Amino acid sequence: MSDTGSSVGTEIDVEKDGKQVSYLRAPHSRNSSAWGSLLIPITVIKNGSGPTILLTGGVHGDEYEGPVCLAKLSRELQAEEIQGRVFMIPTLNLPASLAGQRLSPIDGKDLNRVFPGNPRGTMTDIIADYVQRNLLPLCDVVVDLHSGGYSLRFVPYISMHYLRGQAQTQKTFAALKAFDAPVGLLIQEISGEGLLDYEVVRMGKVFLCAELGGGGMLDVHALEVAEVGVRNVLKHVGVIPGEIVSRQARGLPSTRLMEVPDPEYYHTAMDPGVYEPFFELGDFVEAGDILGQVHFLGSCSRPPEAIVARRPGSLIGVRSPASVERGDCVAVIARDLGSDFDPLA
Ligand code: CA
């Protein structure tokens, strides 16, 4: 692969037809291994000309549907059945995935907060930089498979950001609908800069992020959403043949289009304690409803602190462990857009 300053190397030739199952090799000097490397599995399948799609999982190491979905797909997909090119990296932040932790145990960083990365930074920066320089410019579409990890649980959804450009909005929304998750979400992030998302969007490409299950689990239903969704997007862009497997055709309610339009839809614990939720994931709440309360274990007399819903809608994400710190997100509400929603209207 042509190298433009990254210290990551690979045997893979991105222009070669066929299926290549290999590694991204990042130098990893440490006490136990002077000339050691971190070997991040990657599968590249190319057949003739066509769109290029990058599928990533394991950006956070405590999220499991993406890695399992993409490891299976890496074994299943063959060059003969595709037209174009597919990059699959099931565990992009491999050290985090091996540790079952959100952040890299090597440098304590969040891979999805360091983009565009830095070739002279620490391991997480180096991985991000490699993706930014060497993979993103080749791609038309990027689908990043996440879940809630240890600390959150989500109604399985596929999401896109609110975009400025009409053509990019149209293309991204069409891909979102093709994924055909239970929920299709337009989202206003509160994560700040450094997301892979923004880099792909800035390049004018299609970016989708799935949030599948969470709570440190691998959910059967969420995994199926990922597997069907990824194949649907591959069909939608023409990389694999066949009809999109729609929820409707499987007797399921069609994708519910929703949005998280501003930070008011996120709810935060203001003190450390034990969070007692009053609603289940997916429940509808009114503005003013008490979503739950934080108990203070050090005192019997101190009343719990209520977390009040600031907006009406459905609980799309909830805190998973009961124990909370000040500033932890305990609930995310989303509102319905309606089945005939048009993002360009
Ligand atoms: Ca995540």
mmCIF file with all atom_site columns, all heavy atoms in Angstrom, residues 60-75:
data_model
loop_
_atom_site.group_PDB
_atom_site.id
_atom_site.type_symbol
_atom_site.label_atom_id
_atom_site.label_alt_id
_atom_site.label_comp_id
_atom_site.label_asym_id
_atom_site.label_entity_id
_atom_site.label_seq_id
_atom_site.pdbx_PDB_ins_code
_atom_site.Cartn_x
_atom_site.Cartn_y
_atom_site.Cartn_z
_atom_site.occupancy
_atom_site.B_iso_or_equiv
_atom_site.pdbx_formal_charge
_atom_site.auth_seq_id
_atom_site.auth_comp_id
_atom_site.auth_asym_id
_atom_site.auth_atom_id
_atom_site.pdbx_PDB_model_num
ATOM 1   N N   . HIS A 1 60 ? -14.258 1.118   19.510 1.00 0.00 ? 60 HIS A N   1
ATOM 2   C CA  . HIS A 1 60 ? -14.246 1.013   20.975 1.00 0.00 ? 60 HIS A CA  1
ATOM 3   C C   . HIS A 1 60 ? -14.222 -0.478  21.322 1.00 0.00 ? 60 HIS A C   1
ATOM 4   O O   . HIS A 1 60 ? -14.989 -1.261  20.752 1.00 0.00 ? 60 HIS A O   1
ATOM 5   C CB  . HIS A 1 60 ? -15.478 1.700   21.579 1.00 0.00 ? 60 HIS A CB  1
ATOM 6   C CG  . HIS A 1 60 ? -15.506 3.171   21.312 1.00 0.00 ? 60 HIS A CG  1
ATOM 7   N ND1 . HIS A 1 60 ? -16.584 3.825   20.773 1.00 0.00 ? 60 HIS A ND1 1
ATOM 8   C CD2 . HIS A 1 60 ? -14.535 4.099   21.496 1.00 0.00 ? 60 HIS A CD2 1
ATOM 9   C CE1 . HIS A 1 60 ? -16.289 5.116   20.648 1.00 0.00 ? 60 HIS A CE1 1
ATOM 10  N NE2 . HIS A 1 60 ? -15.051 5.308   21.082 1.00 0.00 ? 60 HIS A NE2 1
ATOM 11  N N   . GLY A 1 61 ? -13.351 -0.850  22.234 1.00 0.00 ? 61 GLY A N   1
ATOM 12  C CA  . GLY A 1 61 ? -13.074 -2.270  22.461 1.00 0.00 ? 61 GLY A CA  1
ATOM 13  C C   . GLY A 1 61 ? -14.104 -3.015  23.287 1.00 0.00 ? 61 GLY A C   1
ATOM 14  O O   . GLY A 1 61 ? -14.018 -4.237  23.421 1.00 0.00 ? 61 GLY A O   1
ATOM 15  N N   . ASP A 1 62 ? -15.101 -2.313  23.815 1.00 0.00 ? 62 ASP A N   1
ATOM 16  C CA  . ASP A 1 62 ? -16.139 -2.973  24.618 1.00 0.00 ? 62 ASP A CA  1
ATOM 17  C C   . ASP A 1 62 ? -17.456 -3.063  23.850 1.00 0.00 ? 62 ASP A C   1
ATOM 18  O O   . ASP A 1 62 ? -18.532 -3.135  24.431 1.00 0.00 ? 62 ASP A O   1
ATOM 19  C CB  . ASP A 1 62 ? -16.341 -2.246  25.961 1.00 0.00 ? 62 ASP A CB  1
ATOM 20  C CG  . ASP A 1 62 ? -16.720 -0.781  25.789 1.00 0.00 ? 62 ASP A CG  1
ATOM 21  O OD1 . ASP A 1 62 ? -16.682 -0.270  24.647 1.00 0.00 ? 62 ASP A OD1 1
ATOM 22  O OD2 . ASP A 1 62 ? -17.054 -0.132  26.800 1.00 0.00 ? 62 ASP A OD2 1
ATOM 23  N N   . GLU A 1 63 ? -17.355 -3.056  22.517 1.00 0.00 ? 63 GLU A N   1
ATOM 24  C CA  . GLU A 1 63 ? -18.529 -3.113  21.645 1.00 0.00 ? 63 GLU A CA  1
ATOM 25  C C   . GLU A 1 63 ? -18.330 -4.297  20.711 1.00 0.00 ? 63 GLU A C   1
ATOM 26  O O   . GLU A 1 63 ? -17.320 -4.353  20.019 1.00 0.00 ? 63 GLU A O   1
ATOM 27  C CB  . GLU A 1 63 ? -18.653 -1.791  20.876 1.00 0.00 ? 63 GLU A CB  1
ATOM 28  C CG  . GLU A 1 63 ? -18.695 -0.600  21.841 1.00 0.00 ? 63 GLU A CG  1
ATOM 29  C CD  . GLU A 1 63 ? -18.708 0.759   21.156 1.00 0.00 ? 63 GLU A CD  1
ATOM 30  O OE1 . GLU A 1 63 ? -18.766 0.809   19.917 1.00 0.00 ? 63 GLU A OE1 1
ATOM 31  O OE2 . GLU A 1 63 ? -18.663 1.767   21.884 1.00 0.00 ? 63 GLU A OE2 1
ATOM 32  N N   . TYR A 1 64 ? -19.264 -5.238  20.693 1.00 0.00 ? 64 TYR A N   1
ATOM 33  C CA  . TYR A 1 64 ? -18.974 -6.555  20.139 1.00 0.00 ? 64 TYR A CA  1
ATOM 34  C C   . TYR A 1 64 ? -19.707 -6.935  18.854 1.00 0.00 ? 64 TYR A C   1
ATOM 35  O O   . TYR A 1 64 ? -19.240 -7.810  18.122 1.00 0.00 ? 64 TYR A O   1
ATOM 36  C CB  . TYR A 1 64 ? -19.227 -7.617  21.212 1.00 0.00 ? 64 TYR A CB  1
ATOM 37  C CG  . TYR A 1 64 ? -18.342 -7.376  22.424 1.00 0.00 ? 64 TYR A CG  1
ATOM 38  C CD1 . TYR A 1 64 ? -18.845 -6.768  23.566 1.00 0.00 ? 64 TYR A CD1 1
ATOM 39  C CD2 . TYR A 1 64 ? -16.985 -7.700  22.380 1.00 0.00 ? 64 TYR A CD2 1
ATOM 40  C CE1 . TYR A 1 64 ? -18.026 -6.505  24.659 1.00 0.00 ? 64 TYR A CE1 1
ATOM 41  C CE2 . TYR A 1 64 ? -16.163 -7.444  23.465 1.00 0.00 ? 64 TYR A CE2 1
ATOM 42  C CZ  . TYR A 1 64 ? -16.690 -6.843  24.601 1.00 0.00 ? 64 TYR A CZ  1
ATOM 43  O OH  . TYR A 1 64 ? -15.869 -6.580  25.666 1.00 0.00 ? 64 TYR A OH  1
ATOM 44  N N   . GLU A 1 65 ? -20.849 -6.301  18.573 1.00 0.00 ? 65 GLU A N   1
ATOM 45  C CA  . GLU A 1 65 ? -21.590 -6.709  17.374 1.00 0.00 ? 65 GLU A CA  1
ATOM 46  C C   . GLU A 1 65 ? -20.784 -6.429  16.108 1.00 0.00 ? 65 GLU A C   1
ATOM 47  O O   . GLU A 1 65 ? -20.754 -7.249  15.190 1.00 0.00 ? 65 GLU A O   1
ATOM 48  C CB  . GLU A 1 65 ? -22.956 -6.010  17.291 1.00 0.00 ? 65 GLU A CB  1
ATOM 49  C CG  . GLU A 1 65 ? -23.993 -6.513  18.286 1.00 0.00 ? 65 GLU A CG  1
ATOM 50  C CD  . GLU A 1 65 ? -23.874 -5.848  19.662 1.00 0.00 ? 65 GLU A CD  1
ATOM 51  O OE1 . GLU A 1 65 ? -22.976 -5.005  19.834 1.00 0.00 ? 65 GLU A OE1 1
ATOM 52  O OE2 . GLU A 1 65 ? -24.679 -6.179  20.550 1.00 0.00 ? 65 GLU A OE2 1
ATOM 53  N N   . GLY A 1 66 ? -20.126 -5.268  16.051 1.00 0.00 ? 66 GLY A N   1
ATOM 54  C CA  . GLY A 1 66 ? -19.349 -4.890  14.861 1.00 0.00 ? 66 GLY A CA  1
ATOM 55  C C   . GLY A 1 66 ? -18.226 -5.876  14.583 1.00 0.00 ? 66 GLY A C   1
ATOM 56  O O   . GLY A 1 66 ? -18.119 -6.409  13.464 1.00 0.00 ? 66 GLY A O   1
ATOM 57  N N   . PRO A 1 67 ? -17.353 -6.142  15.575 1.00 0.00 ? 67 PRO A N   1
ATOM 58  C CA  . PRO A 1 67 ? -16.261 -7.089  15.337 1.00 0.00 ? 67 PRO A CA  1
ATOM 59  C C   . PRO A 1 67 ? -16.742 -8.471  14.884 1.00 0.00 ? 67 PRO A C   1
ATOM 60  O O   . PRO A 1 67 ? -16.169 -9.063  13.965 1.00 0.00 ? 67 PRO A O   1
ATOM 61  C CB  . PRO A 1 67 ? -15.568 -7.178  16.705 1.00 0.00 ? 67 PRO A CB  1
ATOM 62  C CG  . PRO A 1 67 ? -15.829 -5.843  17.323 1.00 0.00 ? 67 PRO A CG  1
ATOM 63  C CD  . PRO A 1 67 ? -17.202 -5.447  16.869 1.00 0.00 ? 67 PRO A CD  1
ATOM 64  N N   . VAL A 1 68 ? -17.819 -8.974  15.515 1.00 0.00 ? 68 VAL A N   1
ATOM 65  C CA  . VAL A 1 68 ? -18.287 -10.320 15.158 1.00 0.00 ? 68 VAL A CA  1
ATOM 66  C C   . VAL A 1 68 ? -18.924 -10.306 13.771 1.00 0.00 ? 68 VAL A C   1
ATOM 67  O O   . VAL A 1 68 ? -18.660 -11.179 12.942 1.00 0.00 ? 68 VAL A O   1
ATOM 68  C CB  . VAL A 1 68 ? -19.267 -10.846 16.229 1.00 0.00 ? 68 VAL A CB  1
ATOM 69  C CG1 . VAL A 1 68 ? -19.960 -12.124 15.767 1.00 0.00 ? 68 VAL A CG1 1
ATOM 70  C CG2 . VAL A 1 68 ? -18.513 -11.098 17.536 1.00 0.00 ? 68 VAL A CG2 1
ATOM 71  N N   . CYS A 1 69 ? -19.723 -9.297  13.497 1.00 0.00 ? 69 CYS A N   1
ATOM 72  C CA  . CYS A 1 69 ? -20.355 -9.167  12.177 1.00 0.00 ? 69 CYS A CA  1
ATOM 73  C C   . CYS A 1 69 ? -19.297 -9.114  11.075 1.00 0.00 ? 69 CYS A C   1
ATOM 74  O O   . CYS A 1 69 ? -19.393 -9.820  10.067 1.00 0.00 ? 69 CYS A O   1
ATOM 75  C CB  . CYS A 1 69 ? -21.215 -7.899  12.158 1.00 0.00 ? 69 CYS A CB  1
ATOM 76  S SG  . CYS A 1 69 ? -21.788 -7.395  10.534 1.00 0.00 ? 69 CYS A SG  1
ATOM 77  N N   . LEU A 1 70 ? -18.266 -8.306  11.279 1.00 0.00 ? 70 LEU A N   1
ATOM 78  C CA  . LEU A 1 70 ? -17.278 -8.110  10.209 1.00 0.00 ? 70 LEU A CA  1
ATOM 79  C C   . LEU A 1 70 ? -16.297 -9.275  10.098 1.00 0.00 ? 70 LEU A C   1
ATOM 80  O O   . LEU A 1 70 ? -15.801 -9.575  9.012  1.00 0.00 ? 70 LEU A O   1
ATOM 81  C CB  . LEU A 1 70 ? -16.536 -6.783  10.398 1.00 0.00 ? 70 LEU A CB  1
ATOM 82  C CG  . LEU A 1 70 ? -17.430 -5.545  10.292 1.00 0.00 ? 70 LEU A CG  1
ATOM 83  C CD1 . LEU A 1 70 ? -16.598 -4.276  10.457 1.00 0.00 ? 70 LEU A CD1 1
ATOM 84  C CD2 . LEU A 1 70 ? -18.189 -5.513  8.968  1.00 0.00 ? 70 LEU A CD2 1
ATOM 85  N N   . ALA A 1 71 ? -16.018 -9.949  11.217 1.00 0.00 ? 71 ALA A N   1
ATOM 86  C CA  . ALA A 1 71 ? -15.171 -11.148 11.131 1.00 0.00 ? 71 ALA A CA  1
ATOM 87  C C   . ALA A 1 71 ? -15.886 -12.221 10.320 1.00 0.00 ? 71 ALA A C   1
ATOM 88  O O   . ALA A 1 71 ? -15.284 -12.892 9.474  1.00 0.00 ? 71 ALA A O   1
ATOM 89  C CB  . ALA A 1 71 ? -14.838 -11.658 12.533 1.00 0.00 ? 71 ALA A CB  1
ATOM 90  N N   . LYS A 1 72 ? -17.205 -12.367 10.557 1.00 0.00 ? 72 LYS A N   1
ATOM 91  C CA  . LYS A 1 72 ? -17.986 -13.352 9.796  1.00 0.00 ? 72 LYS A CA  1
ATOM 92  C C   . LYS A 1 72 ? -18.035 -12.967 8.313  1.00 0.00 ? 72 LYS A C   1
ATOM 93  O O   . LYS A 1 72 ? -17.815 -13.809 7.436  1.00 0.00 ? 72 LYS A O   1
ATOM 94  C CB  . LYS A 1 72 ? -19.408 -13.458 10.368 1.00 0.00 ? 72 LYS A CB  1
ATOM 95  C CG  . LYS A 1 72 ? -19.449 -14.200 11.700 1.00 0.00 ? 72 LYS A CG  1
ATOM 96  C CD  . LYS A 1 72 ? -20.727 -13.930 12.487 1.00 0.00 ? 72 LYS A CD  1
ATOM 97  C CE  . LYS A 1 72 ? -21.862 -14.851 12.144 1.00 0.00 ? 72 LYS A CE  1
ATOM 98  N NZ  . LYS A 1 72 ? -23.011 -14.664 13.085 1.00 0.00 ? 72 LYS A NZ  1
ATOM 99  N N   . LEU A 1 73 ? -18.303 -11.689 8.067  1.00 0.00 ? 73 LEU A N   1
ATOM 100 C CA  . LEU A 1 73 ? -18.395 -11.228 6.670  1.00 0.00 ? 73 LEU A CA  1
ATOM 101 C C   . LEU A 1 73 ? -17.062 -11.397 5.946  1.00 0.00 ? 73 LEU A C   1
ATOM 102 O O   . LEU A 1 73 ? -17.024 -11.745 4.754  1.00 0.00 ? 73 LEU A O   1
ATOM 103 C CB  . LEU A 1 73 ? -18.846 -9.760  6.646  1.00 0.00 ? 73 LEU A CB  1
ATOM 104 C CG  . LEU A 1 73 ? -19.262 -9.215  5.291  1.00 0.00 ? 73 LEU A CG  1
ATOM 105 C CD1 . LEU A 1 73 ? -20.530 -9.890  4.783  1.00 0.00 ? 73 LEU A CD1 1
ATOM 106 C CD2 . LEU A 1 73 ? -19.480 -7.695  5.363  1.00 0.00 ? 73 LEU A CD2 1
ATOM 107 N N   . SER A 1 74 ? -15.950 -11.167 6.668  1.00 0.00 ? 74 SER A N   1
ATOM 108 C CA  . SER A 1 74 ? -14.614 -11.325 6.063  1.00 0.00 ? 74 SER A CA  1
ATOM 109 C C   . SER A 1 74 ? -14.412 -12.757 5.579  1.00 0.00 ? 74 SER A C   1
ATOM 110 O O   . SER A 1 74 ? -13.767 -12.980 4.558  1.00 0.00 ? 74 SER A O   1
ATOM 111 C CB  . SER A 1 74 ? -13.511 -11.028 7.082  1.00 0.00 ? 74 SER A CB  1
ATOM 112 O OG  . SER A 1 74 ? -13.617 -9.721  7.545  1.00 0.00 ? 74 SER A OG  1
ATOM 113 N N   . ARG A 1 75 ? -14.945 -13.712 6.326  1.00 0.00 ? 75 ARG A N   1
ATOM 114 C CA  . ARG A 1 75 ? -14.790 -15.114 5.907  1.00 0.00 ? 75 ARG A CA  1
ATOM 115 C C   . ARG A 1 75 ? -15.767 -15.480 4.797  1.00 0.00 ? 75 ARG A C   1
ATOM 116 O O   . ARG A 1 75 ? -15.452 -16.278 3.916  1.00 0.00 ? 75 ARG A O   1
ATOM 117 C CB  . ARG A 1 75 ? -14.993 -16.036 7.118  1.00 0.00 ? 75 ARG A CB  1
ATOM 118 C CG  . ARG A 1 75 ? -13.886 -15.919 8.155  1.00 0.00 ? 75 ARG A CG  1
ATOM 119 C CD  . ARG A 1 75 ? -13.976 -16.991 9.226  1.00 0.00 ? 75 ARG A CD  1
ATOM 120 N NE  . ARG A 1 75 ? -15.122 -16.842 10.099 1.00 0.00 ? 75 ARG A NE  1
ATOM 121 C CZ  . ARG A 1 75 ? -15.121 -16.107 11.236 1.00 0.00 ? 75 ARG A CZ  1
ATOM 122 N NH1 . ARG A 1 75 ? -14.016 -15.499 11.608 1.00 0.00 ? 75 ARG A NH1 1
ATOM 123 N NH2 . ARG A 1 75 ? -16.205 -16.003 11.970 1.00 0.00 ? 75 ARG A NH2 1
#
